Amino acid sequence: MSFEQYVVETLKTVVFPGFVFIFFLSLFYEWFDRKFYARLQNRVGPLYTGFYGLLQPLADFIKLLSKEDIVPKKVDQLLFTMTPLFTLALSIFATLLLPISSNQGVVSFNGDVIVSILILTFICITVFYAGLSTYNRYAVIGAERLFLQMIGYEIPLTLSVVGVALNAQSLLLSDIVLSQERWWYILGPQALGFIVFVFAAQAELERIPFDLPEAEQEIIAGWNIDYSGRRLAMFRLARNIELVFLCGLAATFFLGGPLGPTIEGYTPILYTLYFVIKSLFVLAVLTVVRALFARLRIDQVESFCWKYLLPLALFQFVLVRLIL
Amino acid sequence: MSTFDVPIGPMHPALPEPLLLKLELEGETVVGVDFDVSYMHRGIEKLLETKTYFQGLPLVERICGICNAAHGLCYTLNVEKLYDKEIPPRAQYLRLVVEELSRIHSHLLWLGIAAFEIGFNTMFMYTWRDREAVMDMLEAITGNRVTTEYSQIGGVRRDIPPNLADKLLKTMDIVEERTKYYVKVALTERTIAKRTQGVGYLSPEEAKATCAVGPVLRASGVKNDIRADDPYAAHSDVPFNVITYDTCDVFARIVVRAQELFECVNMIRTALKNLPEGPYRVKLPMKPNAGEALTRVEAPRGELFHYTLSEGALKPYRYKVRTPTLANLGALRAMLTSKGRYVVNIGDVPISYGSIDPCICCTARVHFVDLKKGKSWVWTIDELRERSKRGRLLP
Amino acid sequence: MSMIGELIRSLFKKRATVLYPEERGKVHLPEGFRGKLEYYEDKCIGCSLCFQVCPSFAIEMVPEDKSRFPKNQTGRRPIFNIARCTYCGQCEDICPTKAIHLTNQFEVIALDKRDLMVK
């Protein structure tokens, strides 16, 4: 690798479409989520910091960073310190897989579809340990719920992705993107897969109706009850980045990723624009789902996942097989 | 399987007021429950003894912010029993209007709280938005949004002029339309049904045995409403139906309260149509006759109970309030420990608790804390009886 | 799913709230709102009824120079401590000469306690 290539690759990883871009994108997505949710409920949402409250997530992040670092006496010190870092690192790494400015992510290798799903599981496990490490009763209940929930949504999520991969005949994200050049998968039988993916993503992100691990009215803040200050900031940032990742993944699998009509010379910028628009559409769907339902109980989450999501995912899978 | 205790409260996002629910959990299943309501003692009954009857009214209204109209009404009805004077019928009708208005506001507020307890934030926001129409009307009629202080000893404080009555009728149309929508949502939304049907089961026998009151009792299929059984303001002249529902769960409580909203709207319409002419207030002397009086009022949360003992002086000798939430706490325990019928998940606790429409600050009992010994205890009724026989309460 | 129509409709509705400090003018108060009270000393007859009904002891009777206000016969007049006031309006109701009036001013903030006295 020549020096120039080296610099370009580094810039890609660190600045665009890597860490810095993802950081600001995730804050923007949080703002969009909050604002859209508020508008759906006839409220105003963030308003005062920046243009229409655009800087509010950043302000929240900085505020949390500057707060006192409280470590309860009886927590497991190692896990308590490491889990926020791990969660953040995993979610940042996951976004490097996303094809944003071209049809390829910053990191691209054969089988990255599987890795992207795997990372979601890893994040779930780290969060589980984050809850468990505090030995708080609410946190333990939250962590236990997190795992129970994961057992429910993980399989439908994977199956919905398998349908796409099968159609594209590849386990490479860039191949999946390229195979949608003429026809987005959401317009075919994978529409069912999209529905499954949206609900599974909702569960992965712990949003209503699946926000049981941190159900405010039941177990206060669930697994993150003892986290404060910069640890909480890291968790929140990781959640936001995961939000970007899951919206981007849905856009990649079902909405043709960053592909769209381009002008010579402006391809990366236009691709990024298309990616953002498409994933914002997914985010809007996620937000509407969040506004539409009441929180389910843990047994109801399980039965919803196994009775509705899994058969739907399987049905989609069979449909794809039949068409091929 | 070993159990572990999880405290809910006294500070908890689902509880607006201090109450400690000590839950004994087996995994996520509630196997035992114990509670403590003595986190707030405001000494209102004692304070009332230091105030004249007219000064006491604003204080009584502050026992509970949400059912303040019922408290004020109960107080005035109670004190008026000590005078031998007829209260003008127009005042009684106006009292009914404001009481039913505040019932609408309380029930809409509860609907939002119930939605919030099951994580349905959108419905929470919408109901509270629509409740503002009722609050504006209360403000226009009485001069204040929350502490209305409308009912006054001897009548009401202000009249409702015809133009305000027209405005009120228009608001009632809005409320009726919105209530229809919420009933539709509550009946058709699958997640609401899932979270409320079969949850917080309270059988009619248990409801009677635990002395439940108000919508909780009516949702268990027992026809009991003070407005019908023991009419006070103008309730004997204004017809209405006592709503009951027979599924005995949280869902039934939602339905009962929502249907009651329609009844309230109709009652206000009838009352405004048949508003009798005449004065809305008679002047009563500051000192009532000696004697005792006892009044029951159907507050939005259930049966409200005021008692006063007068010596014929400016101030009451003793004033006693029993709020509906205290009566319903026994029912809450029955809901949370209804073994066999269904399993209570910890996720069902907030909505079961919310379904009695709790207002803990009105209920606090005496709780003794000895800082030196580091002990705290509560006296039972037998102990209190024993001590009163001996003639002294404190050791 | 039954709320989807309402959700989409409220997306295009105006917000339900008032941005309070900025849009102060939009705060709608009805007639007869019980806000900070006003006292007209020329109407007062010094009967001290308001002092008797005040539940929060916000009213105090002080001696008054009789020659200044001919209506005042007792030589006493009330002063009001807004910091203690509960805005119940009983004084306004009972006043025989309408010397007390509750305005629709609801922003009663002061840096000094003495500014909260109505004399």
Side-chain angles (χ1 to χ4, degrees):
Chain A
M1 205 189 272
S2 73
F3 179 69
E4 270 171 28
Q5 261 181 323
Y6 189 76
V7 170
V8 167
E9 285 300 315
T10 313
L11 280 180
K12 259 187 171 178
T13 316
V14 176
V15 183
F16 181 84
F19 303 155
V20 176
F21 177 70
I22 289 297
F23 174 72
F24 286 107
L25 198 65
S26 74
L27 295 179
F28 173 66
Y29 275 35
E30 190 199 337
W31 172 83
F32 182 83
D33 181 35
R34 281 166 70 172
K35 197 80 180 171
F36 192 59
Y37 191 51
R39 288 306 301 149
L40 286 176
Q41 296 177 343
N42 214 340
R43 292 187 290 124
V44 265
L47 198 63
Y48 292 103
T49 330
F51 178 72
Y52 278 94
L54 204 51
L55 294 178
Q56 190 63 50
L58 184 65
D60 288 352
F61 182 69
I62 293 169
K63 184 206 80 175
L64 277 179
L65 279 186
S66 63
K67 278 205 155 187
E68 185 195 353
D69 186 30
I70 302 168
V71 183
K73 260 184 196 164
K74 298 208 171 161
V75 296
D76 188 318
Q77 295 287 341
L78 183 69
L79 279 177
F80 194 74
T81 317
M82 294 308 286
T83 43
L85 292 173
F86 268 133
T87 322
L88 189 56
L90 277 170
S91 52
I92 288 178
F93 172 65
T95 46
L96 293 183
L97 296 170
L98 282 180
I100 294 177
S101 60
S102 67
N103 58 31
Q104 229 176 18
V106 179
V107 183
S108 180
F109 48 85
N110 206 351
D112 50 7
V113 173
I114 295 172
V115 172
S116 62
I117 301 294
L118 185 69
I119 287 174
L120 289 178
T121 314
F122 274 163
I123 291 176
C124 199
I125 293 170
T126 10
V127 168
F128 172 75
Y129 277 112
L132 217 55
S133 70
T134 59
Y135 299 119
N136 186 302
R137 287 164 199 197
Y138 302 110
V140 170
I141 295 175
E144 164 217 0
R145 283 180 173 191
L146 191 81
F147 242 49
L148 276 170
Q149 199 163 294
M150 195 188 82
I151 293 167
Y153 69 78
E154 199 88 306
I155 295 165
L157 176 75
T158 316
L159 272 177
S160 73
V161 174
V162 165
V164 172
L166 207 64
N167 212 335
Q169 298 285 335
S170 168
L171 280 175
L172 203 61
L173 279 171
S174 56
D175 279 359
I176 288 177
V177 170
L178 285 177
S179 68
Q180 296 180 74
E181 225 166 355
R182 266 170 298 155
W183 195 245
W184 293 355
Y185 284 138
I186 194 173
L187 301 172
Q190 274 90 356
L192 297 176
F194 181 70
I195 295 169
V196 174
F197 193 93
V198 161
F199 277 101
Q202 199 78 348
E204 170 72 44
L205 292 163
E206 293 164 23
R207 286 146 64 96
I208 292 168
F210 304 111
D211 69 333
L212 293 108
E214 41 188 290
E216 191 199 356
Q217 288 83 12
E218 292 158 24
I219 45 175
I220 309 182
W223 56 265
N224 61 14
I225 185 167
D226 269 342
Y227 288 89
S228 60
R230 51 190 109 116
R231 288 164 225 262
L232 186 63
M234 270 185 239
F235 270 127
R236 282 179 53 124
L237 184 62
R239 268 275 170 268
N240 290 342
I241 292 175
E242 209 187 334
L243 183 69
V244 175
F245 175 60
L246 274 162
C247 292
L249 213 57
T252 310
F253 284 143
F254 302 101
L255 298 171
L259 291 191
T262 57
I263 309 164
E264 196 66 37
Y266 294 98
T267 314
I269 296 167
L270 281 174
Y271 270 13
T272 313
L273 196 67
Y274 294 141
F275 173 85
V276 170
I277 289 169
K278 282 171 184 174
S279 52
L280 276 184
F281 167 73
V282 179
L283 180 57
V285 173
L286 286 179
T287 311
V288 170
V289 169
R290 181 170 148 213
L292 258 183
F293 296 110
R295 182 190 303 120
L296 293 168
R297 213 164 48 213
I298 189 72
D299 52 318
Q300 289 162 352
V301 170
E302 290 298 305
S303 71
F304 174 77
C305 289
W306 288 95
K307 273 190 197 158
Y308 297 99
L309 280 192
L310 186 66
L312 205 62
L314 279 173
F315 181 60
Q316 178 247 180
F317 182 70
V318 172
L319 269 187
V320 174
R321 284 295 295 170
L322 284 179
I323 286 167
L324 276 178
Chain B
M1 196 172 171
S2 64
T3 60
F4 70 116
D5 291 349
V6 169
I8 292 205
M11 292 294 164
H12 192 278
L15 312 177
E17 282 159 13
L19 160 83
L20 174 60
L21 281 173
K22 290 175 208 152
L23 299 178
E24 205 179 316
L25 291 189
E26 218 177 74
E28 287 225 356
T29 313
V30 180
V31 291
V33 63
D34 192 10
F35 35 73
D36 190 347
V37 291
S38 312
Y39 283 89
M40 188 108 159
H41 183 70
R42 299 185 292 175
I44 283 189
E45 286 172 6
K46 192 70 195 163
L47 257 178
L48 277 171
E49 290 168 20
T50 68
K51 290 185 189 295
T52 65
Y53 288 97
F54 283 83
Q55 284 176 336
L57 182 64
L59 179 63
V60 164
E61 294 241 331
R62 278 163 178 78
I63 292 177
C64 175
I66 296 159
C67 38
N68 62 71
H71 272 283
L73 181 60
C74 200
Y75 179 83
T76 45
L77 288 170
N78 199 17
V79 175
E80 278 161 9
K81 282 183 183 169
L82 297 172
Y83 297 91
D84 313 314
K85 198 105 185 235
E86 186 84 4
I87 305 302
R90 188 178 176 89
Q92 301 285 28
Y93 270 75
L94 293 178
R95 281 172 176 180
L96 178 134
V97 168
V98 169
E99 202 215 349
E100 297 306 321
L101 257 184
S102 87
R103 192 186 311 279
I104 293 175
H105 124 65
S106 171
H107 280 0
L108 278 178
L109 175 136
W110 177 83
L111 207 57
I113 294 277
F116 173 73
E117 304 275 22
I118 54 174
F120 201 169
N121 289 344
T122 311
M123 190 150 158
F124 167 59
M125 298 291 172
Y126 285 169
T127 46
W128 281 45
R129 178 192 69 194
D130 296 329
R131 175 177 151 260
E132 281 304 306
V134 183
M135 303 296 282
D136 284 348
M137 278 330 287
L138 276 174
E139 196 179 26
I141 293 171
T142 69
N144 214 337
R145 275 163 56 88
V146 180
T147 37
T148 51
E149 283 153 25
Y150 187 63
S151 185
Q152 175 68 285
I153 299 165
V156 291
R157 300 263 295 267
R158 293 173 187 190
D159 198 7
I160 298 185
N163 61 338
L164 201 56
D166 289 346
K167 224 172 142 190
L168 183 54
L169 285 176
K170 265 181 213 151
T171 314
M172 285 303 105
D173 293 342
I174 298 172
V175 170
E176 193 174 28
E177 189 208 320
R178 294 305 301 171
T179 312
K180 269 185 192 149
Y181 177 71
Y182 292 126
V183 170
K184 201 190 104 203
V185 169
L187 293 180
T188 52
E189 173 63 47
R190 282 286 304 278
T191 43
I192 292 184
K194 277 194 168 218
R195 283 308 300 276
T196 55
Q197 281 175 354
V199 171
Y201 184 82
L202 183 73
S203 66
E205 297 77 40
E206 250 174 336
K208 282 180 198 160
T210 53
C211 302
V213 292
V216 178
L217 184 58
R218 290 198 283 280
S220 288
V222 182
K223 219 168 179 158
N224 175 296
D225 193 325
I226 306 298
R227 289 176 293 173
D229 303 342
D230 186 9
Y232 43 101
H235 287 102
S236 46
D237 306 337
V238 180
F240 71 102
N241 302 324
V242 178
I243 309 287
T244 55
Y245 205 72
D246 53 0
T247 54
C248 309
D249 50 10
V250 176
F251 186 71
R253 280 158 222 150
I254 292 181
V255 173
V256 163
R257 285 196 174 96
Q259 298 288 347
E260 265 180 26
L261 284 174
F262 293 127
E263 293 300 318
C264 293
V265 169
N266 285 334
M267 282 166 88
I268 290 175
R269 281 183 184 147
T270 326
L272 284 180
K273 213 193 285 168
N274 305 331
L275 208 57
E277 292 299 319
Y280 58 88
R281 184 175 177 180
V282 287
K283 288 258 191 277
L284 293 177
M286 284 262 199
K287 278 185 194 172
N289 304 330
E292 46 185 349
L294 185 134
T295 311
R296 296 189 295 168
V297 158
E298 181 76 17
R301 294 169 163 76
E303 179 191 306
L304 175 66
F305 200 83
H306 277 219
Y307 165 83
T308 179
L309 176 57
S310 159
E311 284 180 321
L314 263 179
K315 296 166 183 174
Y317 178 74
R318 173 84 177 100
Y319 204 87
K320 168 80 191 139
V321 179
R322 207 280 315 262
T323 55
T325 307
L326 185 74
N328 276 336
L329 280 175
L332 176 62
R333 185 197 292 269
M335 280 174 216
L336 292 182
T337 51
S338 58
K339 274 179 201 151
R341 181 95 191 185
Y342 89 114
V343 188
V344 186
N345 189 285
I346 186 174
D348 296 332
V349 173
I351 181 64
S352 302
Y353 164 77
S355 73
I356 67 164
D357 202 354
C359 188
I360 298 301
C361 283
C362 347
T363 57
R365 304 292 95 192
V366 182
H367 191 98
F368 296 93
V369 181
D370 193 331
L371 280 179
K372 281 179 199 155
K373 290 179 191 159
K375 275 201 306 189
S376 68
W377 69 95
V378 183
W379 278 341
T380 61
I381 187 92
D382 294 330
E383 275 176 301
L384 278 174
R385 226 172 253 147
E386 246 341 278
R387 281 172 192 276
S388 69
K389 270 181 208 159
R390 271 188 275 151
R392 59 194 189 115
L393 272 177
L394 285 171
Chain C
M1 286 292 279
S2 53
M3 257 191 166
I4 186 104
E6 181 80 12
L7 276 184
I8 290 166
R9 246 173 286 140
S10 55
L11 200 58
F12 302 105
K13 253 188 209 164
K14 265 193 87 220
R15 60 166 182 270
T17 46
V18 174
L19 297 180
Y20 167 60
E22 284 94 358
E23 300 178 347
R24 185 168 290 149
K26 279 193 190 170
V27 177
H28 171 71
L29 292 176
E31 258 175 71
F33 178 80
R34 304 203 303 258
K36 187 180 180 180
L37 60 80
E38 257 172 13
Y39 169 61
Y40 309 107
E41 42 198 356
D42 48 335
K43 286 186 191 167
C44 183
I45 54 170
C47 65
S48 82
L49 270 176
C50 50
F51 168 71
Q52 284 173 36
V53 294
C54 183
S56 54
F57 310 113
I59 302 176
E60 204 180 318
M61 299 302 287
V62 294
E64 168 73 284
D65 183 10
K66 259 193 219 176
S67 57
R68 271 177 66 214
F69 301 105
K71 271 193 166 180
N72 197 334
Q73 289 147 10
T74 57
R76 275 155 28 103
R77 53 158 286 182
I79 54 169
F80 306 88
N81 185 355
I82 301 297
R84 291 196 70 111
C85 182
T86 56
Y87 306 96
C88 65
Q90 296 224 55
C91 47
E92 184 193 26
D93 280 7
I94 207 149
C95 186
T97 56
K98 295 200 166 56
I100 301 168
H101 174 60
L102 262 61
T103 61
N104 60 3
Q105 190 189 343
F106 60 93
E107 292 155 317
V108 255
I109 300 158
L111 289 174
D112 192 339
K113 260 189 185 173
R114 273 165 294 184
D115 296 346
L116 287 173
M117 301 296 279
V118 174
K119 283 180 184 165

